Amino acid sequence: MKSIGKGMKHCVLLALAMLLVMELKAQSGQTIEVTTQGQTCCKATFLSPTIVRITKIPVGKTWSMESMVVTMQPQANFKTVVKDEGEQMTLKSSELCVSIRKSDGRITFTTTTGTSLLMEKSFALDERTIGADRGAYIASQTFTLDADEPIYGLGILQDGKMNRRGTHRYMIQNNTEDYQNVIQSIKGWALYWDNYSPTDFNDNADGMTFRSDVADGIDYYLMYGKTVDGCVAEMRNLSGQVPMFPLWTFGFWQSKERYKSWAETTGVVHKYRELGIPLDGIVQDWQYWGSHYLWNAMEFLGDDFQNADAAIDDIHRNHAHLMITIWSSFGPHTKPYREMEAGGHLFDFQTWPQSGVNQWPPRMDYPSGVRCYDPFSSEARDIYWNNLRRLFDAGLDGWWMDSTEPDNFNWTESDFEHSVDGGKATMRRMRNAYPLACVSGVYTHQRAVSSDKRVFIMTRSGFAGQQRYGANVWSGDVGSSWETLRAQLPAGLNFTLTGNPNFNTDLGGFFAGAYNGSGPNGSAVNNPLYRELYTRWMQYGLFCPVFRSHGTEVPREVYLYGKPGEPIYDAMVSTIRLRYRLLPYLYSTAWQVTSASQSYMRPLMADFKDDRRTWDMGLEFMFGRSILAAPIVHAQYTPEKVVSVDAMSGWDKRESASEHIDLDKIDFAQIRSTTKYLPAGTGWYDFFSGQLYEGGQDVTLKTNIGSIPMFVRAGSILPLAEEMQYATEKPWDNLEIRVYPGADARFTLYEDEGDNYNYESGAYSTIDFTWNDKRHTLTIAARRGEYTGMLTTRTFRIVLPDGTERTVEYKGKKVVIKFS
């Protein structure tokens, strides 16, 4: 009996062991799965040691579609460890630990050393019982954050805030705010919420919550990047890398709403060349196609836009490039409309323009019949490109993709009931990814037909992952006020932190009519209030990836704002000229953006996390890795009279205590002062004077209207070009190399053919500059790589802040320069 008992005990133990092995086998590898008491399947899957996907879906349900954003495939050959801890299952990589509580599916994230990163609080999946999305769910997930934990990102928001704690937004893409569903924390984690429906984001005392209108389940990715730059890099690993823009796109762009003939458009280019003001791009805004009934015909049908070939050739002969507006909607008399309608690819909701008559307010007794198309359909994207191909073949250089939210006026719930892509989903489910679908169609089609011209898209809306499609997002039709100018800085920085580095804004603001007066000199061009605002906005734009002037109601051409020797004119022109001197630094930074997941505009806490004062600073930032941009964004000479604008409702004005100022007697040459903060942990050199300041302090600077506070971090190397009229006017054969001592430094000068995709096959060169601060020695390494047209011999003029100079002839071989 005893022996039989022992045998039975052995069998029982063996069976239990086999069950345990079977359970561990099911939970082995990169995934763990728990089914809660509420019958929800909660799963954690590692894509890499630092990226984990979390899904929660009712048992028996399946996912209806693949991600539009996530392109990353799970990495192979990294180890994970699964552990059943009774109440919870744990999956651990070399960097990150994920635990799922079995009873309710609550998940916690820690580092492998036990440091808490993020904790879920609760979730809900509420089934939709009516409408086209019935059977799907309203999905919500709440997280618990530390009380003093700042978070960043989310997208382009116009509230002027850097730290997104306390933010509440019903996130649906619109003209001036774009949402990416990406958040990152000062603790080194980032989260992407993979849902495209309108989503309520709310951070309050109850926690941080995402609540999406339509979902199969909860689906998000937790990334442990450790640093700000690391989180950005992980988001790009997850959703796609950034292709290079052409060199010329980093020059100055002139635009306005709108040039009404080829004579006007080409005349602007001629005037810039005549006056010697640098220019690389001119934009042709809407109605080159004629009437609203021909909206977005993608042909030059307007009476004043005939002979397009001659006009485009004229622009190119003057070494400028032409970008043209294209929309996501079509007028009823156009070829694209007819083709889209035949395929069932047009939506039936109100969009811009509402009237076929070009009057404001719209004459609704003459409806335009304009309708937006369905970019989620591959057939519709083909039709779009086949029509756009006419403009591409005509020699257009870039695409201004307007209204990619899209505009949806007086929207109702029924607008969201529209099916997309032949009934595969609803507009409600896909709404926020509309801009992603739009730009993907243009990018992929252009890449398919040509590698000789890099895709350059500027679009009014964006979603996560859009960085992989050669798309720069601008902040929409913002009003011309100081308050709005200040809001652009944190808006651009937070957008960058979602993974897309390509941001810009209408320099001077879009709606500027409030500054117009009466009489022959009533234009805002002559109004000191607007002149000061426009100048300071342009100085901020110096530090944006795309440097573009645009707006309505007031002309924006720089030469209208005075003449040489006058403060406003000189301030604007000197800003543009400085942009061209910075091109080697900026283009080399662009290569770091593409090859190393860097960013152009970087919040201060990215480099100075230990300086807590930087955690919520949105009005200063790093431009690349070396330059501290601290533009003046408060009025110094005029009252801040205009507060904000709503395109539909009009202007909000504030009566100022300084209203008694005689605007005719304002002297922009007078000296003023501004105070800027220099982050702790390094020294800072004034870019213009070379004066060295210790970090961790406020500094007060004497300024005038032409002053742009900018500092260079000690331990930096900065390449500067000669002044030029356009980006490729002069080869970089006589660069000034500024070395800023105080720490070791390294900089990689990048060069390629400028406007094709040969760099993807290795057609580029790099030159490493290394400064040894202890030995006061600069080493210029041997050049690596080659490309057609590469310089073989050049001169580098090495300059130190104290004025010391050395000139070096460089032929591609290593050179060492010793300074005493």
Side-chain angles (χ1 to χ4, degrees), residues 107-290:
I107 298 175
T108 58
F109 304 91
T110 64
T111 68
T112 52
T113 58
T115 301
S116 175
L117 294 175
L118 182 64
M119 178 185 296
E120 292 185 352
K121 181 178 181 182
S122 61
F123 75 92
L125 292 170
D126 300 317
E127 187 169 359
R128 299 185 68 95
T129 58
I130 60 173
D133 290 300
R134 62 185 177 277
Y137 296 88
I138 299 171
S140 64
Q141 177 70 63
T142 300
F143 302 87
T144 299
L145 304 180
D146 293 348
D148 62 346
E149 178 181 0
I151 55 175
Y152 310 99
L154 210 61
I156 298 173
L157 278 68
Q158 297 292 343
D159 58 3
K161 297 179 180 179
M162 188 69 217
N163 184 357
R164 295 263 58 98
R165 291 304 298 268
T167 296
H168 183 203
R169 281 289 193 282
Y170 181 61
M171 300 191 298
I172 181 170
Q173 312 292 18
N174 62 68
N175 186 315
T176 59
E177 292 199 332
D178 300 294
Y179 305 104
Q180 316 300 302
N181 291 7
V182 180
I183 282 288
Q184 65 163 281
S185 163
I186 198 74
K187 293 169 67 174
W189 59 261
L191 186 148
Y192 165 58
W193 179 260
D194 197 13
N195 187 285
Y196 321 127
S197 69
T199 296
D200 191 81
F201 176 85
N202 194 6
D203 178 72
N204 57 28
D206 294 327
M208 180 186 77
T209 301
F210 288 88
R211 185 177 187 273
S212 294
D213 286 355
V214 185
D216 296 322
I218 289 167
D219 191 354
Y220 69 89
Y221 294 78
L222 192 286
M223 297 160 276
Y224 181 41
K226 302 181 182 179
T227 65
V228 169
D229 291 333
C231 287
V232 169
E234 294 287 36
M235 186 58 198
R236 300 223 194 116
N237 290 334
L238 184 70
S239 60
Q241 299 300 326
V242 181
M244 290 283 288
F245 282 154
L247 173 60
W248 52 265
T249 64
F250 296 100
F252 179 63
W253 285 83
Q254 183 61 66
S255 176
K256 77 170 186 180
E257 190 281 305
R258 60 187 170 86
Y259 298 123
K260 297 182 179 180
S261 68
W262 279 132
E264 187 178 3
T265 306
T266 58
V268 171
V269 176
H270 296 165
K271 192 67 174 178
Y272 271 87
R273 292 290 177 250
E274 173 191 332
L275 296 173
I277 304 173
L279 179 75
D280 263 280
I282 188 79
V283 179
Q284 182 55 60
D285 207 343
W286 54 295
Q287 280 199 328
Y288 60 87
W289 49 69

Side-chain angles (χ1 to χ4, degrees), residues 524-535:
V525 165
N526 303 306
N527 186 337
L529 279 76
Y530 186 68
R531 285 183 155 214
E532 182 181 9
L533 174 64
Y534 186 18
T535 302

